Amino acid sequence: MNKEIVVSGIRPTGNLHLGNYMGAVKNFIKMQHEYNCYFFIADFHSLTTHPNPKDLHQNVKQVLAEYIACGIDPEACTIYIQSDLPEIAELYLLLNMHAYKGELERVTSFKEKAKSHPNNINAGLLTYPVLMAADILIHKALKVPVGKDQEQHLEMARTFGNRFNRIYNNELFPEPQAFNYGNQLVKVPGLQGGGKMSKSDGDNTVINLNDDDATVRKKIMKAVSDVSPTEPNSTPSQAVQNLFDLMTLVSNQEVISYYKTTFADCSIRYGDLKKQLAEDMALFISPIKQKIDEISGNDEMLGKIAKMGAEKARDSASKTIATAREMIGFTKFY
Ligand code: ATP
Ligand code: MG
């Protein structure tokens, strides 16, 4: 029986962090054994913020090394670099003809980025969801393991795929769904007291998979908290809730219950909570960091993996683009 197709990618805009791991990579590791998986490094997507070419090149290799260090197996799935597939750029062009300014301007991530970078509202940023739809549709994926921040983009991918099918009267693209094994999509908070953990938000707000123990501890101890509660059973502020959320990801149940109880009876000391969280976080990150150190710099191995992945991924992409070309009338007569 044919396995269901899975696609997901991560932008090479910096080191992978705990949010990328919990929202995406953790699912990849499990899915690779159950589905036909395509995992890529989204270097086209990273161009929206105009990276320096040297940094981009280095980051692509780093993310590849980090994928492997986390346990993504190039034999069990297809790992590739997005820009190795010109078919994606072509499908993006085709889909763009049926993507409208109004609907793109309403996308939350566009509105947020346009607000935070008012001097760089480029067309690539506006059409980001179209490129993401092309990433997914090019392999006709059904499941897309992503964090909560990508939910709206998945909705757009369905819209663009369905629209293309309808206009050209063909069922080329199935409907992709966001996926997480826990059923609910994950949002790992940053350390700045609000918002999700993001590569582009500054190093002190993220726990990188590549951070050493001392760095992890230092970052957690500096995380934004709050004044201690004064009323029993009060609702934690966002910053405190974030610390509890991080604890849920890496600490054991007993520890979590202890701190929830001390919060409820107002005896909590945030310094102690952070110390405990720092230890548990360091224990979680340390084995991954060790593997990253072993693998990054092994350009020969990474190169072989990228080449093998590009060939496998192009095989799948070229079939889809051939059909899409036919559907729109690019049929050869010579
Ligand atoms: P950037 O700031 O460059 O956009 P990012 O940290 O948001 O980087 P992406 O490359 O955009 O990371 O996202 C890669 C994957 O990681 C996506 O599936 C996304 O949903 C997931 N992800 C990113 N941040 C989080 C988070 N804080 N919690 C859960 N999942 C996340
Ligand atoms: Mg992002």
Side-chain angles (χ1 to χ4, degrees):
M1 209 182 79
N2 278 346
K3 288 182 182 171
E4 275 184 14
I5 297 170
V6 169
V7 169
S8 193
I10 298 187
R11 283 159 35 108
T13 41
N15 291 303
L16 299 193
H17 54 71
L18 188 75
N20 300 136
Y21 187 87
M22 295 295 174
V25 178
K26 192 176 170 191
N27 289 302
F28 298 1
I29 299 163
K30 205 166 161 199
M31 291 181 103
Q32 65 186 343
H33 302 296
E34 299 172 18
Y35 299 97
N36 181 8
C37 293
Y38 294 88
F39 299 129
F40 65 98
I41 297 161
D43 56 351
F44 282 149
H45 279 288
S46 69
L47 297 180
T48 53
T49 45
H50 306 161
N52 162 320
K54 258 200 198 137
D55 292 346
L56 175 60
H57 177 75
Q58 184 50 39
N59 280 340
V60 167
K61 285 201 286 188
Q62 183 67 15
V63 172
L64 182 56
E66 294 186 354
Y67 267 175
I68 310 292
C70 287
I72 301 177
D73 176 358
E75 299 293 335
C77 63
T78 303
I79 308 175
Y80 62 96
I81 300 165
Q82 187 186 26
S83 64
D84 278 340
L85 268 65
E87 294 83 358
I88 294 175
E90 184 170 352
L91 184 57
Y92 167 57
L93 183 151
L94 302 184
L95 295 174
N96 260 329
M97 304 304 162
H98 301 289
Y100 291 94
K101 181 170 164 275
E103 63 188 339
L104 293 168
E105 279 173 344
R106 281 194 297 275
V107 175
T108 310
S109 63
F110 172 74
K111 287 195 281 194
E112 282 172 3
K113 295 244 154 102
K115 211 166 158 194
S116 59
H117 303 107
N119 296 325
N120 185 25
I121 310 177
N122 59 64
L125 189 67
L126 181 68
T127 57
Y128 195 100
V130 188
L131 180 54
M132 187 163 153
D135 290 327
I136 297 166
L137 300 174
I138 197 79
H139 300 299
K140 303 191 199 178
L142 285 174
K143 288 193 167 60
V144 185
V146 284
K148 181 122 185 91
D149 57 304
Q150 297 298 328
E151 210 168 21
Q152 195 182 19
H153 292 160
L154 256 295
E155 178 79 50
M156 309 277 301
R158 287 190 289 275
T159 302
F160 296 137
N162 284 334
R163 197 176 286 164
F164 200 87
N165 286 346
R166 202 174 52 246
I167 292 167
Y168 298 108
N169 199 17
N170 189 311
E171 290 299 304
L172 177 62
F173 300 124
E175 280 199 340
Q177 303 291 338
F179 180 87
N180 183 66
Y181 275 106
N183 284 331
Q184 260 183 349
L185 300 183
V186 177
K187 175 185 166 186
V188 176
L191 305 176
Q192 70 278 43
K196 80 165 191 75
M197 192 174 279
S198 282
K199 284 185 241 101
S200 44
D201 272 356
D203 200 50
N204 276 330
T205 67
V206 298
I207 300 290
N208 290 314
L209 303 180
N210 194 30
D211 283 342
D212 59 28
D213 288 359
T215 308
V216 170
R217 289 197 187 101
K218 201 170 79 199
K219 285 181 178 176
I220 299 276
M221 293 314 289
K222 277 194 182 160
V224 174
S225 55
D226 204 348
V227 290
S228 299
T230 49
E231 301 235 341
N233 301 314
S234 47
T235 310
S237 64
Q238 188 62 55
V240 172
Q241 184 58 48
N242 289 354
L243 294 177
F244 278 119
D245 287 352
L246 290 169
M247 211 168 214
T248 308
L249 298 171
V250 294
S251 300
N252 67 41
Q253 201 47 54
E254 218 174 303
V255 165
I256 301 164
S257 305
Y258 170 77
Y259 283 99
K260 288 210 164 143
T261 310
T262 57
F263 181 85
D265 67 17
C266 304
S267 66
I268 194 163
R269 285 165 45 170
Y270 292 128
D272 293 345
L273 176 143
K274 285 203 224 169
K275 253 190 218 152
Q276 178 72 50
L277 178 59
E279 286 316 306
D280 293 339
M281 188 66 77
L283 273 177
F284 180 82
I285 296 289
S286 161
I288 304 177
K289 152 88 177 143
Q290 272 176 28
K291 289 219 182 79
I292 295 172
D293 286 347
E294 279 165 37
I295 293 169
S296 60
N298 190 341
D299 282 11
E300 197 187 330
M301 182 189 79
L302 296 175
K304 272 189 196 150
I305 292 171
K307 186 161 183 279
M308 179 172 87
E311 280 162 14
K312 280 202 273 177
R314 284 200 79 178
D315 202 39
S316 152
S318 58
K319 290 183 186 125
T320 310
I321 204 72
T323 312
R325 279 178 147 261
E326 252 175 54
M327 280 161 67
I328 62 167
F330 286 170
T331 329
K332 288 256 183 292
F333 58 89
Y334 54 88

